[in-house]
Amino acid sequence: FFFCFGFLLMKLTMITLWNNLLVIIVILIIYNQLLSAIEDETSFMRTQHTNKVDQHIHVTVARFQESIGHLAWLARYPHTIYNRGEYSSISSLHVVDCMENVGREAFIFLQHIVKHYDRLAHVNIFTQAVQNVKTLYTEEDFRNDVLRLAIAAKNRSHDLSSTILSSSNDGFVFLVPWCASSRHPQHMKALQNQYGEEKCKIFTEGYQTLLNFPVENPRFSGTSCFAVTKEAIYRNPLNYYIRLARLLGSDINPIEGHFFERSWPQVFHSTCSSNQTFHCLLDSKMSC
């Protein structure tokens, strides 16, 4: 009797153990599937900052004395804030202190490209810490555009021709919705008063001599806030960007910095501003 009872008890125990094991396995499978689904849905966002690029999207911020508190949301995405000045640290943001304040924001943008040339994100967003056209382009607008570009980069990370960065703009877009001539008389007069007419020849000759990309009617959108695909960046070799960065590395406010601010499409050899219709904007096109 005791033998039969013990045998039966052992069988029941083994069945219970197997059942429990099966339940645990099923729970682990369901958990893994849910985790994969969540990761897939939000893989274009980042919950922690990182200095590694090679992602779907990366936001590069040139900061001088502006507050960066309003950029706390950038912690959701791969980003780097290059700092030149004192600031209140925000632990969730990846801030890199620059040794020298030279070359305006163009030096930071070009240095970032040089440093990460072999592992650039699919879509690279460059901006100053604060946009000075709040009535035309708000912080909320910028935040929404980063999200849209992140989704586009994730869905079509290797081919953005049918998404926001279309073939009409060659993988380059300004985010701020206005445009002006890069040789606007009012702008040119102010720069000539500051730098002299000889140095300002860069605005007529620099497209050929510096960028090897002549354009008859160069136009731009202000504040140096734009997105560019790595494919567009790779139209030019690494040495090209090293050479351009060297033009900016010895002066806090060089004339070349103003030139690049007005010439980012041409820097990446985009034809989006070569026709009468301005295709360099994220949401629209216009004549200017």
Side-chain angles (χ1 to χ4, degrees), residues 79-118:
H79 69 278
T80 306
I81 299 175
Y82 292 96
N83 173 63
R84 297 184 289 194
E86 297 181 359
Y87 69 99
S88 298
S89 176
I90 299 178
S91 60
S92 61
L93 294 177
H94 178 229
V95 179
V96 175
D97 288 319
C98 301
M99 297 299 293
E100 295 180 290
N101 180 18
V102 295
R104 298 171 62 85
E105 70 277 353
F107 182 72
I108 287 178
F109 296 168
L110 291 168
Q111 283 286 80
H112 177 85
I113 291 172
V114 168
K115 181 178 180 181
H116 301 286
Y117 186 82
D118 293 328

Side-chain angles (χ1 to χ4, degrees), residues 167-182:
S167 57
S168 63
N169 52 45
D170 292 340
F172 177 95
V173 287
F174 284 115
L175 304 187
V176 179
W178 70 272
C179 67
S181 170
S182 300

Side-chain angles (χ1 to χ4, degrees), residues 8 59 85 96 101 124 152 193 207 222 247 249 267:
L8 180 61
V59 182
V96 175
N101 180 18
N124 302 272
N193 290 337
Y207 297 98
L247 297 173
V267 168

Side-chain angles (χ1 to χ4, degrees), residues 51-60 78-80 82 108-126 153 157-158 160 171 226-242 267-268:
N51 59 359
K52 180 182 178 182
V53 185
D54 197 17
Q55 304 285 340
H56 294 304
I57 193 169
H58 186 271
V59 182
T60 298
H79 69 278
T80 306
Y82 292 96
I108 287 178
F109 296 168
L110 291 168
Q111 283 286 80
H112 177 85
I113 291 172
V114 168
K115 181 178 180 181
H116 301 286
Y117 186 82
D118 293 328
R119 50 193 177 93
L120 289 165
H122 292 299
V123 174
N124 302 272
I125 299 174
F126 296 90
S157 58
H158 295 288
L160 299 175
F226 61 88
V228 60
T229 63
K230 69 177 182 181
E231 289 79 12
I233 294 174
Y234 289 157
R235 292 190 189 113
N236 294 293
L238 175 60
N239 286 338
Y240 168 83
Y241 297 104
I242 293 175
V267 168
F268 303 111

